Structure formats: structure tokens, C-alpha cells
Amino acid sequence: IKGNLRWATRIASSIGSGFGILLIVLAVFQLFRGNFIGAMWWFLIGMFLRGAAKASYQQLMMRNALQGEPVRRFMNADPVTVPPSLSVKDLVEDYVYRYHYKMFPVVDDGKLLGCVSTKEVKEVPHEQWAQKRIEDLTTDCTSDNTLSPDTDAVEALSLMNRTGISRLMVTEGDRLAGIITLKDLLRFLSLRVELEEA
């Protein structure tokens, strides 16, 4: 009616949420009538509808807030990197325990070789940590863990969701331009939604 998708989604979400509450109220009546199984089903369907209604509006808000924003706006342009000659023991002691990251880019003389994560470290027996080098565990740069600085932030969020990786490397050619994290995107999203809602 207004030509405003955000307004329309908010109204639809409110109606869906209200209908969910109605089903929950009906569940309470069913419970008082002694129909425990029926009440449980009404309650679960009501909760599901409320959750789905809220999720649809939140999804729209997230897409609107991030769409058109390039990854370079959110990335850390000076990320912590590790050299390929580093031992696994030093990686754990000096990097993982210090910075609390699960993934580190492996860089040699300014060139990005790949990345190493705690997933690869866990596959190495503890007694071999001092002998094993990072170059032995480095995984290649692929479309699943890298993107360009001009990639839309919505695409970055979608990639994180699809792969389960919360830290992605931002690359320009064979050089590391920065790191983008899920936490960076969510922090911006929270601030923007808060200000626009106000």
C-alpha cells in the first residue's frame, strides 16, 4: 500500500506474531479442558509462528542494513598473520592463546600462502607440536575462505553462514588486504538498526 517493503514486513510480522500468541492462548484453554496433547500442539505451533514472524523481519533488516556495503568497510586492514616456518607449538602458545582466534592467515614476505586453523592443529598429535611447522598444515585459499574487498557484505554474511567460517580473508591478487569477521558485521548491524529504529 505504501510502497515500503520494511513497513509491510513489519506489519506482516506483527500479524504473524499476534496469531502465534492467539494459538498459545488457545493452548492454555485446551490445557484447562484436560486436552494436554492438543494444548501442547497448539503451544508449539504458536511458538513456531511467533519465531518465524520475528525472523522474517530481522532478516529484512539485516539485508537492508548490509546490502550495498563493501567488505572493505568492515575489514581489519592490519590482521594478525603467521609465518610458514612457525612451529605448531608456537602458534598455539603465542597466537591462539593470546589472540583467541581460530584461524590465522599464513603470509611469507607479504604473499598470502593460505591459512591455518585450530581444526588442522587438533589433527596433529600433541607430542609433534614442536616439530611440525605451519607450512605443513596450511590450507589453500579458496572461494570458501576468501573474498575481494569490493564484495557485498550480504554475500560475505551468506558465505559465512554456508561454510560455518566466521573469519574470512580479504584478498587482492596474492596479497592479504585484511580480515572480515562475523563479529564486525553484527556490530555494525546492531548499531545501524538501533539508530534507524530510533
Side-chain angles (χ1 to χ4, degrees):
I1 294 172
K2 287 188 174 183
N4 186 327
L5 179 62
R6 180 173 167 181
W7 175 84
T9 305
R10 177 186 288 173
I11 297 298
S13 175
S14 298
I15 292 171
S17 183
F19 191 64
I21 292 173
L22 176 62
L23 292 180
I24 292 171
V25 171
L26 288 174
V28 173
F29 281 119
Q30 289 288 329
L31 187 63
F32 282 130
R33 293 178 61 187
N35 185 2
F36 178 76
I37 301 298
M40 183 180 70
W41 277 110
W42 282 113
F43 179 80
L44 290 175
I45 294 171
M47 290 296 292
F48 173 78
L49 282 176
R50 284 201 72 203
K54 288 183 177 179
S56 65
Y57 182 65
Q58 290 170 349
Q59 189 176 33
L60 176 71
M61 292 294 293
M62 185 179 297
R63 190 183 299 115
N64 285 350
L66 295 177
Q67 199 163 31
E69 298 286 355
V71 162
R72 69 170 71 250
R73 180 171 181 180
F74 311 101
M75 72 180 190
N76 175 7
D78 188 27
V80 178
T81 63
V82 296
S85 58
L86 193 72
S87 70
V88 174
K89 181 180 179 181
D90 289 339
L91 170 70
V92 173
E93 295 292 337
D94 299 337
Y95 289 86
V96 176
Y97 291 161
R98 179 180 176 186
Y99 297 104
H100 311 139
Y101 300 150
K102 289 187 176 182
M103 183 278 287
F104 293 90
V106 181
V107 177
D108 186 27
D109 194 28
K111 183 179 180 181
L112 178 65
L113 303 180
C115 64
V116 62
S117 71
T118 52
K119 179 182 176 183
E120 287 80 42
V121 171
K122 285 189 289 187
E123 295 175 358
V124 179
H126 195 278
E127 58 273 13
Q128 296 181 19
W129 281 11
Q131 291 78 36
K132 280 278 187 182
R133 296 286 174 258
I134 297 304
E135 58 190 352
D136 301 323
L137 308 180
T138 302
T139 57
D140 295 332
C141 296
T142 67
S143 58
D144 284 340
N145 58 20
T146 60
L147 33 72
S148 76
D150 296 318
T151 302
D152 195 290
V154 173
E155 290 182 40
L157 192 61
S158 176
L159 178 60
M160 291 177 183
N161 184 53
R162 189 175 73 249
T163 61
I165 302 174
S166 60
R167 286 170 58 82
L168 299 173
M169 296 179 289
V170 184
T171 59
E172 289 182 311
D174 61 356
R175 301 283 170 173
L176 180 69
I179 289 284
I180 179 72
T181 69
L182 179 60
K183 189 182 293 185
D184 295 330
L185 293 174
L186 293 181
R187 187 182 298 119
F188 170 81
L189 181 64
S190 175
L191 286 171
R192 184 160 183 174
V193 169
E194 181 183 337
L195 291 174
E196 290 191 3
E197 283 294 299

